[in-house]
Amino acid sequence: MFRDESKSVVRKAVATSTHKNKQERSRRTAIPERKPVRSELGLAVEQDFDFNSDPQHVFLMRQLGNYPLEVQPSYELDATKYEAVCYLLRSNAIPSSFWTSEIISNFLIQGGGTAGQGAMKASVVATATAMLSRVRGLPSLDDIARREYGSALRLLNAALADIEEAKTNQTLGAVIMLAIYEVITSRAPESIDSWTNHINGATALLDLRGTDQFKTRTGLRLFLYLRYQITISCLQRDARVPESLLQRTDIVMFLDTAEDHGNRLVMIIGKLSNLRADIHTNTYKNEQEVISAALAVEADLIAWLAALPSEFNYTTHVSSPFDLAIKKQFRGISPYDDQYHVYPTSWVCSSWNQYRSARIIVSQIILFRVRKLSENSSPASLSEELRVQCRTLRTTIRRLALEICRSVPFHFNVHLVASESNLPPPESYIGGLVLLWHLFVAGVVESPQHRLRRWVVKCLEMIGKSMGIDLALAVADIVAANPGVLYPVTEEEDTH
């Protein structure tokens, strides 16, 4: 329940008096007044929201600590952990139709004494307290998060020892939450290996689950969410996407046109990942073969764009540089060039950025290979058509990077600031997780001195410091040091 009790929670964490704890729990079960409240973080809660009618609050108070003795974690669920999990669910709904707070809620509310259920609950508490620890700067919460992480790993190992339990949604959900925990707590770039290990483990579980996972709505959404994460992981590591993942995708049936379109996009991104893997292993005989393969992927992306349904339409808006309300909602940052996009849903926004990032990467491959061709041959051997295409690619890359930047404020609900409602716009902290990859791709396009690069670094630092996502700070360091995709410029690429 959200009352402005941040200070009392801190006091309770270090208090030794049982009497005080009982009083605090008694006070937290009271019906909160219907009035605007604001935490130390400045997070506003809707004026007319009745917490006792909120199903998330109800099941948290009733179910979250309901562990049977055989899988009981080594902690007593207290108000601090309740607040952290409420924070995760109410403020961190992942903007994807494939993985939402609704799914997390279903996992938590399900009864049963299985190890997978216990692992899921412990992993949620670990992730929630780790994020809240960073946002509020409370090391004591970080200690709790590490203990919960250890409990989740022990319970997960127990679940994986039973083949039937390993196939459950709860076990797979626990692996996903532990992967998110690694993103939240990974400050050093090399720490991303822990996230990769969890994603690899999830890949093995998807293979074990077979086609039965598509029979339930939750199972299908878990598969689709993980499929994208696995694909991005492969793309980052220059690895091939598991063939079993692509084969299972072919049998998934979508009733929604937008989801079907998004499914085709992820398949194209899978082809792009395989292209990078083949380049890494020197599968192609020469630069021309690489360029031809990259042009084929680019053609698929262009065809995907041409077939976009109306559900993917978005609008561009201009804000005043003196609009303090928008700047406040955007954590002190103004939209880049004072322009931002508004999309029908967060999932549509994420799909657009998936396309933009993929198009930037495949364009980068083509440009790099053309540079190598120009180094190994005379400029006269390059066709005029190829030179024109390079100039077009550079323009396209810059435009797509700019569009990614203009999409960022949408994940922070900047578009709701100017609405007619008197209620403050909701927070969406996990939007920061969704943006990390896309901000990296856009940020390394220009030179380190370019203002777009500096704006991206500022956004990543804001996500890391105000949202409690340590990996964002690591990505900010990488982006700041990168020489830039479009640099150096060859004579053949120069637009003059």
Side-chain angles (χ1 to χ4, degrees):
M1 291 182 296
F2 279 88
R3 197 191 284 265
D4 189 9
E5 295 178 341
S6 302
K7 294 182 180 178
S8 66
V9 169
V10 174
R11 286 197 300 270
K12 189 183 63 174
V14 298
T16 57
S17 170
T18 304
H19 178 66
K20 283 187 177 181
N21 285 338
K22 288 182 178 179
Q23 284 185 331
E24 184 67 16
R25 285 194 293 270
S26 175
R27 185 156 58 91
R28 280 182 166 271
T29 58
I31 298 177
E33 299 177 28
R34 287 195 170 191
K35 60 182 182 180
V37 295
R38 188 173 294 275
S39 73
E40 288 180 355
L41 306 176
L43 308 184
V45 180
E46 291 88 340
Q47 185 176 12
D48 294 323
F49 187 80
D50 185 352
F51 290 98
N52 277 30
S53 66
D54 177 27
Q56 290 181 350
H57 162 63
V58 173
F59 79 72
L60 279 171
M61 295 299 294
R62 187 177 67 244
Q63 295 286 348
L64 187 55
N66 187 25
Y67 288 88
L69 291 178
E70 59 267 27
V71 294
Q72 184 74 32
S74 58
Y75 67 84
E76 176 184 346
L77 197 67
D78 58 19
T80 301
K81 294 168 187 172
Y82 277 122
E83 181 179 5
V85 175
C86 285
Y87 166 85
L88 178 72
L89 294 180
R90 291 204 58 79
S91 300
N92 295 277
I94 299 178
S96 164
S97 63
F98 300 151
W99 177 250
T100 64
S101 60
E102 172 194 358
I103 293 180
I104 301 177
S105 304
N106 288 339
F107 286 150
L108 293 177
I109 201 170
Q110 290 170 3
T114 66
Q117 180 72 14
M120 179 62 192
K121 292 178 179 179
S123 65
V124 168
V125 175
T127 302
T129 50
M131 183 173 286
L132 201 58
S133 169
R134 281 149 180 78
V135 169
R136 294 190 176 173
L138 298 176
S140 59
L141 290 183
D142 208 25
D143 293 338
I144 294 174
R146 283 192 290 268
R147 289 197 296 270
E148 298 305 326
Y149 181 82
S151 295
L153 285 179
R154 289 191 294 273
L155 290 164
L156 184 59
N157 286 332
L160 295 176
D162 183 336
I163 189 170
E164 293 304 318
E165 184 65 19
K167 294 180 180 179
T168 63
N169 290 338
Q170 291 90 340
T171 298
L172 185 59
V175 175
I176 293 176
M177 291 306 301
L178 292 179
I180 295 176
Y181 174 91
E182 297 294 351
V183 173
I184 291 170
T185 60
S186 296
R187 177 62 180 89
E190 56 270 17
S191 301
I192 197 62
D193 289 343
S194 299
W195 174 79
T196 302
N197 291 336
H198 286 307
I199 293 299
N200 289 340
T203 305
L205 288 180
L206 289 182
D207 289 339
L208 185 66
R209 284 157 60 93
T211 57
D212 288 344
Q213 61 190 306
F214 303 141
K215 294 180 180 179
T216 66
R217 179 171 174 265
T218 298
L220 176 61
R221 286 192 168 191
L222 284 172
F223 170 81
L224 295 173
Y225 171 78
L226 270 171
R227 182 193 58 176
Y228 176 67
Q229 295 298 318
I230 293 167
T231 302
I232 293 300
S233 174
C234 292
L235 191 62
Q236 293 171 348
R237 296 180 290 114
D238 293 332
R240 293 188 67 84
V241 177
E243 190 62 31
S244 60
L245 193 71
L246 299 178
Q247 290 175 350
R248 285 193 173 88
T249 298
D250 289 338
I251 66 175
V252 176
M253 300 296 293
F254 295 92
L255 299 178
D256 184 90
T257 303
E259 285 194 353
D260 181 61
H261 213 66
N263 176 63
R264 280 179 282 166
L265 176 59
V266 175
M267 293 294 287
I268 298 172
I269 296 174
K271 292 182 181 179
L272 175 59
S273 179
N274 290 345
L275 168 63
R276 282 169 60 98
D278 290 342
I279 293 173
H280 184 71
T281 56
N282 297 317
T283 301
Y284 296 101
K285 297 178 181 179
N286 52 55
E287 306 301 337
Q288 291 288 4
E289 286 189 0
V290 175
I291 293 174
S292 296
L295 288 173
V297 174
E298 182 193 44
D300 288 342
L301 288 169
I302 294 174
W304 180 87
L305 181 66
L308 274 181
S310 59
E311 292 93 327
F312 279 73
N313 293 342
Y314 66 88
T315 55
T316 302
H317 299 258
V318 179
S319 66
S320 166
F322 306 104
D323 193 329
L324 299 181
I326 287 181
K327 191 172 183 178
K328 181 179 180 180
Q329 182 67 19
F330 200 16
R331 310 294 200 285
I333 301 176
S334 297
Y336 187 74
D337 277 345
D338 296 320
Q339 296 187 46
Y340 61 93
H341 294 165
V342 174
Y343 298 82
T345 66
S346 294
W347 180 80
V348 168
C349 180
S350 296
S351 296
W352 268 104
N353 282 338
Q354 290 168 22
Y355 157 78
R356 292 164 181 149
S357 296
R359 187 82 184 274
I360 289 174
I361 292 172
V362 74
S363 299
Q364 176 188 2
I365 292 174
I366 297 171
L367 283 176
F368 179 75
R369 295 297 151 172
V370 169
R371 287 171 184 166
K372 295 196 70 174
L373 275 178
S374 65
E375 291 171 358
N376 300 328
S377 59
S378 64
S381 64
L382 295 178
S383 67
E384 181 60 27
E385 180 182 358
L386 195 55
R387 298 185 194 201
V388 172
Q389 185 171 25
C390 285
R391 290 195 290 269
T392 302
L393 284 174
R394 290 173 61 80
T395 301
T396 299
I397 288 174
R398 285 196 165 99
R399 174 177 55 80
L400 294 172
L402 183 64
E403 289 178 358
I404 288 176
C405 292
R406 288 177 177 169
S407 76
V408 173
F410 181 81
H411 284 292
F412 295 83
N413 294 314
V414 165
H415 58 292
L416 298 179
V417 171
S419 66
E420 296 181 0
S421 173
N422 292 324
L423 302 180
E427 305 289 342
S428 181
Y429 286 78
I430 293 268
L433 282 176
V434 177
L435 288 168
L436 290 186
W437 169 245
H438 306 304
L439 281 173
F440 166 77
V441 173
V444 299
V445 165
E446 300 289 358
S447 67
Q449 297 76 29
H450 197 282
R451 63 191 189 93
L452 184 143
R453 170 83 67 98
R454 297 198 302 269
W455 186 88
V456 167
V457 170
K458 189 175 180 180
C459 281
L460 288 168
E461 290 174 345
M462 175 269 289
I463 290 171
K465 294 175 182 177
S466 71
M467 298 187 179
I469 304 174
D470 279 359
L471 187 61
L473 301 176
V475 175
D477 292 341
I478 296 173
V479 171
N482 193 282
V485 168
L486 299 181
Y487 300 90
V489 181
T490 68
E491 181 181 350
E492 287 68 36
E493 298 166 1
D494 193 1
T495 59
H496 301 289

Short mmCIF file of all heavy atoms in Angstrom, two decimals, residues 215-252:
data_model
loop_
_atom_site.label_atom_id
_atom_site.label_comp_id
_atom_site.label_asym_id
_atom_site.label_seq_id
_atom_site.Cartn_x
_atom_site.Cartn_y
_atom_site.Cartn_z
N LYS A 215 -0.36 -23.45 -25.25
CA LYS A 215 -1.77 -23.75 -24.97
C LYS A 215 -2.41 -22.77 -24.00
O LYS A 215 -3.63 -22.73 -23.88
CB LYS A 215 -1.88 -25.18 -24.43
CG LYS A 215 -1.50 -26.25 -25.45
CD LYS A 215 -1.63 -27.64 -24.87
CE LYS A 215 -1.25 -28.71 -25.91
NZ LYS A 215 -1.35 -30.08 -25.35
N THR A 216 -1.60 -22.02 -23.29
CA THR A 216 -2.13 -21.03 -22.36
C THR A 216 -1.66 -19.64 -22.76
O THR A 216 -0.61 -19.48 -23.38
CB THR A 216 -1.69 -21.31 -20.91
OG1 THR A 216 -0.26 -21.14 -20.81
CG2 THR A 216 -2.05 -22.72 -20.49
N ARG A 217 -2.44 -18.65 -22.40
CA ARG A 217 -2.10 -17.26 -22.73
C ARG A 217 -0.79 -16.84 -22.07
O ARG A 217 0.07 -16.21 -22.70
CB ARG A 217 -3.25 -16.35 -22.26
CG ARG A 217 -3.04 -14.86 -22.51
CD ARG A 217 -4.35 -14.14 -22.20
NE ARG A 217 -4.18 -12.70 -22.29
CZ ARG A 217 -3.93 -11.91 -21.25
NH1 ARG A 217 -3.78 -12.45 -20.05
NH2 ARG A 217 -3.82 -10.61 -21.40
N THR A 218 -0.62 -17.22 -20.79
CA THR A 218 0.61 -16.87 -20.09
C THR A 218 1.82 -17.56 -20.72
O THR A 218 2.87 -16.94 -20.91
CB THR A 218 0.51 -17.25 -18.61
OG1 THR A 218 -0.55 -16.52 -18.00
CG2 THR A 218 1.81 -16.93 -17.87
N GLY A 219 1.66 -18.85 -21.04
CA GLY A 219 2.76 -19.59 -21.65
C GLY A 219 3.18 -18.99 -22.98
O GLY A 219 4.38 -18.88 -23.29
N LEU A 220 2.20 -18.57 -23.79
CA LEU A 220 2.51 -17.96 -25.09
C LEU A 220 3.24 -16.64 -24.91
O LEU A 220 4.23 -16.34 -25.59
CB LEU A 220 1.23 -17.76 -25.89
CG LEU A 220 1.37 -17.03 -27.24
CD1 LEU A 220 2.30 -17.81 -28.16
CD2 LEU A 220 0.01 -16.82 -27.90
N ARG A 221 2.77 -15.82 -23.96
CA ARG A 221 3.41 -14.52 -23.75
C ARG A 221 4.83 -14.68 -23.23
O ARG A 221 5.73 -13.93 -23.60
CB ARG A 221 2.58 -13.69 -22.77
CG ARG A 221 1.31 -13.14 -23.40
CD ARG A 221 0.68 -12.10 -22.52
NE ARG A 221 -0.37 -11.37 -23.22
CZ ARG A 221 -0.95 -10.28 -22.76
NH1 ARG A 221 -0.58 -9.79 -21.60
NH2 ARG A 221 -1.89 -9.67 -23.45
N LEU A 222 5.04 -15.65 -22.37
CA LEU A 222 6.39 -15.91 -21.88
C LEU A 222 7.31 -16.29 -23.03
O LEU A 222 8.44 -15.84 -23.12
CB LEU A 222 6.37 -17.02 -20.83
CG LEU A 222 5.88 -16.64 -19.43
CD1 LEU A 222 5.75 -17.88 -18.57
CD2 LEU A 222 6.82 -15.64 -18.78
N PHE A 223 6.81 -17.14 -23.92
CA PHE A 223 7.61 -17.56 -25.07
C PHE A 223 7.96 -16.37 -25.95
O PHE A 223 9.12 -16.19 -26.35
CB PHE A 223 6.85 -18.60 -25.90
CG PHE A 223 7.51 -18.91 -27.21
CD1 PHE A 223 8.58 -19.78 -27.29
CD2 PHE A 223 7.06 -18.31 -28.38
CE1 PHE A 223 9.21 -20.05 -28.50
CE2 PHE A 223 7.67 -18.58 -29.60
CZ PHE A 223 8.74 -19.45 -29.66
N LEU A 224 6.99 -15.53 -26.24
CA LEU A 224 7.22 -14.40 -27.14
C LEU A 224 8.17 -13.38 -26.52
O LEU A 224 9.04 -12.83 -27.21
CB LEU A 224 5.88 -13.73 -27.49
CG LEU A 224 4.92 -14.60 -28.31
CD1 LEU A 224 3.57 -13.91 -28.46
CD2 LEU A 224 5.51 -14.92 -29.67
N TYR A 225 8.00 -13.13 -25.23
CA TYR A 225 8.91 -12.19 -24.55
C TYR A 225 10.34 -12.74 -24.57
O TYR A 225 11.30 -12.03 -24.91
CB TYR A 225 8.46 -11.96 -23.12
CG TYR A 225 9.47 -11.19 -22.29
CD1 TYR A 225 9.60 -9.82 -22.43
CD2 TYR A 225 10.30 -11.85 -21.40
CE1 TYR A 225 10.53 -9.11 -21.70
CE2 TYR A 225 11.25 -11.15 -20.66
CZ TYR A 225 11.36 -9.78 -20.81
OH TYR A 225 12.29 -9.09 -20.09
N LEU A 226 10.48 -14.01 -24.21
CA LEU A 226 11.82 -14.60 -24.15
C LEU A 226 12.44 -14.74 -25.53
O LEU A 226 13.66 -14.59 -25.69
CB LEU A 226 11.74 -15.97 -23.47
CG LEU A 226 11.92 -15.94 -21.96
CD1 LEU A 226 11.63 -17.30 -21.37
CD2 LEU A 226 13.32 -15.48 -21.58
N ARG A 227 11.62 -15.00 -26.52
CA ARG A 227 12.15 -15.13 -27.87
C ARG A 227 12.85 -13.85 -28.30
O ARG A 227 13.95 -13.88 -28.88
CB ARG A 227 11.04 -15.46 -28.85
CG ARG A 227 11.51 -15.66 -30.28
CD ARG A 227 10.35 -15.66 -31.23
NE ARG A 227 9.59 -14.42 -31.15
CZ ARG A 227 8.56 -14.14 -31.94
NH1 ARG A 227 8.18 -15.01 -32.85
NH2 ARG A 227 7.91 -12.99 -31.81
N TYR A 228 12.26 -12.71 -27.97
CA TYR A 228 12.89 -11.44 -28.32
C TYR A 228 14.17 -11.25 -27.52
O TYR A 228 15.19 -10.81 -28.06
CB TYR A 228 11.93 -10.28 -28.08
CG TYR A 228 12.56 -8.93 -28.32
CD1 TYR A 228 12.93 -8.56 -29.62
CD2 TYR A 228 12.82 -8.06 -27.29
CE1 TYR A 228 13.54 -7.33 -29.85
CE2 TYR A 228 13.42 -6.84 -27.51
CZ TYR A 228 13.78 -6.48 -28.80
OH TYR A 228 14.39 -5.28 -29.03
N GLN A 229 14.13 -11.53 -26.22
CA GLN A 229 15.33 -11.37 -25.39
C GLN A 229 16.46 -12.28 -25.87
O GLN A 229 17.63 -11.87 -25.90
CB GLN A 229 14.99 -11.68 -23.93
CG GLN A 229 14.02 -10.71 -23.29
CD GLN A 229 14.56 -9.29 -23.26
OE1 GLN A 229 15.73 -9.07 -22.96
NE2 GLN A 229 13.71 -8.32 -23.59
N ILE A 230 16.13 -13.50 -26.25
CA ILE A 230 17.14 -14.43 -26.75
C ILE A 230 17.73 -13.90 -28.05
O ILE A 230 18.94 -13.95 -28.28
CB ILE A 230 16.52 -15.83 -26.95
CG1 ILE A 230 16.14 -16.43 -25.59
CG2 ILE A 230 17.48 -16.75 -27.69
CD1 ILE A 230 15.26 -17.67 -25.70
N THR A 231 16.86 -13.41 -28.92
CA THR A 231 17.32 -12.88 -30.21
C THR A 231 18.26 -11.69 -30.02
O THR A 231 19.32 -11.59 -30.67
CB THR A 231 16.12 -12.47 -31.08
OG1 THR A 231 15.27 -13.59 -31.27
CG2 THR A 231 16.57 -11.96 -32.44
N ILE A 232 17.91 -10.77 -29.11
CA ILE A 232 18.76 -9.62 -28.85
C ILE A 232 20.08 -10.06 -28.22
O ILE A 232 21.15 -9.53 -28.54
CB ILE A 232 18.04 -8.61 -27.94
CG1 ILE A 232 16.86 -7.99 -28.69
CG2 ILE A 232 18.99 -7.51 -27.47
CD1 ILE A 232 17.25 -7.24 -29.95
N SER A 233 20.02 -11.05 -27.34
CA SER A 233 21.24 -11.57 -26.74
C SER A 233 22.17 -12.13 -27.82
O SER A 233 23.39 -11.90 -27.80
CB SER A 233 20.92 -12.65 -25.71
OG SER A 233 22.09 -13.27 -25.21
N CYS A 234 21.61 -12.88 -28.76
CA CYS A 234 22.41 -13.42 -29.86
C CYS A 234 22.97 -12.30 -30.73
O CYS A 234 24.14 -12.35 -31.16
CB CYS A 234 21.57 -14.37 -30.71
SG CYS A 234 21.09 -15.91 -29.87
N LEU A 235 22.16 -11.27 -30.98
CA LEU A 235 22.60 -10.15 -31.79
C LEU A 235 23.78 -9.43 -31.16
O LEU A 235 24.74 -9.05 -31.82
CB LEU A 235 21.42 -9.19 -32.00
CG LEU A 235 21.57 -8.07 -33.04
CD1 LEU A 235 21.76 -8.66 -34.43
CD2 LEU A 235 20.34 -7.16 -33.00
N GLN A 236 23.73 -9.27 -29.84
CA GLN A 236 24.80 -8.58 -29.13
C GLN A 236 26.08 -9.40 -29.10
O GLN A 236 27.18 -8.84 -29.06
CB GLN A 236 24.35 -8.27 -27.69
CG GLN A 236 23.22 -7.26 -27.61
CD GLN A 236 22.65 -7.15 -26.21
OE1 GLN A 236 22.93 -7.98 -25.34
NE2 GLN A 236 21.84 -6.14 -25.98
N ARG A 237 25.95 -10.73 -29.12
CA ARG A 237 27.12 -11.61 -28.99
C ARG A 237 27.61 -12.16 -30.33
O ARG A 237 28.49 -13.01 -30.37
CB ARG A 237 26.79 -12.77 -28.06
CG ARG A 237 26.48 -12.36 -26.63
CD ARG A 237 26.15 -13.55 -25.75
NE ARG A 237 24.86 -14.16 -26.09
CZ ARG A 237 24.72 -15.39 -26.59
NH1 ARG A 237 25.80 -16.13 -26.85
NH2 ARG A 237 23.53 -15.87 -26.84
N ASP A 238 27.02 -11.70 -31.44
CA ASP A 238 27.36 -12.24 -32.76
C ASP A 238 27.16 -13.75 -32.80
O ASP A 238 27.99 -14.50 -33.32
CB ASP A 238 28.81 -11.90 -33.15
CG ASP A 238 29.01 -10.41 -33.36
OD1 ASP A 238 28.04 -9.73 -33.73
OD2 ASP A 238 30.14 -9.93 -33.16
N ALA A 239 26.03 -14.20 -32.24
CA ALA A 239 25.72 -15.63 -32.19
C ALA A 239 24.48 -15.93 -33.01
O ALA A 239 23.62 -15.06 -33.21
CB ALA A 239 25.52 -16.07 -30.74
N ARG A 240 24.37 -17.15 -33.46
CA ARG A 240 23.19 -17.56 -34.22
C ARG A 240 22.01 -17.80 -33.28
O ARG A 240 22.18 -18.30 -32.16
CB ARG A 240 23.47 -18.83 -35.02
CG ARG A 240 24.48 -18.65 -36.15
CD ARG A 240 24.56 -19.90 -37.01
NE ARG A 240 23.31 -20.13 -37.75
CZ ARG A 240 22.99 -19.55 -38.91
NH1 ARG A 240 23.84 -18.69 -39.47
NH2 ARG A 240 21.85 -19.81 -39.51
N VAL A 241 20.83 -17.45 -33.74
CA VAL A 241 19.61 -17.71 -32.98
C VAL A 241 19.33 -19.21 -33.04
O VAL A 241 19.40 -19.80 -34.13
CB VAL A 241 18.42 -16.92 -33.55
CG1 VAL A 241 17.14 -17.25 -32.79
CG2 VAL A 241 18.72 -15.42 -33.49
N PRO A 242 19.03 -19.86 -31.92
CA PRO A 242 18.75 -21.31 -31.94
C PRO A 242 17.68 -21.66 -32.96
O PRO A 242 16.62 -21.01 -33.01
CB PRO A 242 18.29 -21.59 -30.51
CG PRO A 242 18.93 -20.52 -29.69
CD PRO A 242 18.96 -19.30 -30.56
N GLU A 243 17.95 -22.67 -33.76
CA GLU A 243 17.00 -23.06 -34.81
C GLU A 243 15.67 -23.50 -34.23
O GLU A 243 14.62 -23.26 -34.81
CB GLU A 243 17.62 -24.19 -35.64
CG GLU A 243 16.84 -24.52 -36.91
CD GLU A 243 16.77 -23.36 -37.88
OE1 GLU A 243 17.73 -22.55 -37.92
OE2 GLU A 243 15.76 -23.25 -38.60
N SER A 244 15.72 -24.14 -33.06
CA SER A 244 14.48 -24.60 -32.43
C SER A 244 13.56 -23.43 -32.12
O SER A 244 12.33 -23.55 -32.20
CB SER A 244 14.80 -25.37 -31.15
OG SER A 244 15.50 -24.54 -30.22
N LEU A 245 14.15 -22.26 -31.78
CA LEU A 245 13.34 -21.09 -31.47
C LEU A 245 12.62 -20.59 -32.72
O LEU A 245 11.44 -20.24 -32.67
CB LEU A 245 14.25 -19.99 -30.91
CG LEU A 245 13.56 -18.81 -30.24
CD1 LEU A 245 12.95 -19.24 -28.91
CD2 LEU A 245 14.54 -17.67 -30.02
N LEU A 246 13.32 -20.57 -33.84
CA LEU A 246 12.71 -20.11 -35.08
C LEU A 246 11.66 -21.09 -35.58
O LEU A 246 10.62 -20.69 -36.12
CB LEU A 246 13.80 -19.92 -36.14
CG LEU A 246 14.89 -18.89 -35.80
CD1 LEU A 246 15.93 -18.84 -36.91
CD2 LEU A 246 14.29 -17.51 -35.58
N GLN A 247 11.91 -22.37 -35.39
CA GLN A 247 10.94 -23.38 -35.84
C GLN A 247 9.64 -23.29 -35.05
O GLN A 247 8.56 -23.41 -35.62
CB GLN A 247 11.55 -24.78 -35.70
CG GLN A 247 12.67 -25.08 -36.68
CD GLN A 247 13.33 -26.41 -36.43
OE1 GLN A 247 13.09 -27.06 -35.40
NE2 GLN A 247 14.20 -26.83 -37.34
N ARG A 248 9.75 -23.07 -33.75
CA ARG A 248 8.54 -22.98 -32.94
C ARG A 248 7.76 -21.72 -33.27
O ARG A 248 6.54 -21.69 -33.16
CB ARG A 248 8.89 -23.00 -31.45
CG ARG A 248 9.27 -24.39 -30.96
CD ARG A 248 9.30 -24.47 -29.44
NE ARG A 248 9.49 -25.85 -29.03
CZ ARG A 248 10.67 -26.42 -28.88
NH1 ARG A 248 11.75 -25.71 -29.10
NH2 ARG A 248 10.77 -27.67 -28.50
N THR A 249 8.46 -20.68 -33.68
CA THR A 249 7.78 -19.45 -34.05
C THR A 249 6.85 -19.66 -35.23
O THR A 249 5.79 -19.04 -35.33
CB THR A 249 8.81 -18.36 -34.39
OG1 THR A 249 9.61 -18.10 -33.22
CG2 THR A 249 8.14 -17.07 -34.81
N ASP A 250 7.22 -20.55 -36.13
CA ASP A 250 6.43 -20.79 -37.33
C ASP A 250 5.05 -21.36 -37.01
O ASP A 250 4.12 -21.24 -37.81
CB ASP A 250 7.17 -21.74 -38.28
CG ASP A 250 8.37 -21.07 -38.92
OD1 ASP A 250 8.38 -19.83 -38.98
OD2 ASP A 250 9.30 -21.79 -39.35
N ILE A 251 4.91 -22.02 -35.85
CA ILE A 251 3.63 -22.67 -35.54
C ILE A 251 2.76 -21.81 -34.63
O ILE A 251 1.64 -22.19 -34.29
CB ILE A 251 3.84 -24.05 -34.90
CG1 ILE A 251 4.50 -23.91 -33.51
CG2 ILE A 251 4.67 -24.94 -35.80
CD1 ILE A 251 4.62 -25.22 -32.77
N VAL A 252 3.28 -20.65 -34.21
CA VAL A 252 2.50 -19.75 -33.36
C VAL A 252 1.45 -19.05 -34.21
O VAL A 252 1.75 -18.49 -35.26
CB VAL A 252 3.40 -18.72 -32.66
CG1 VAL A 252 2.55 -17.73 -31.86
CG2 VAL A 252 4.39 -19.42 -31.75
#
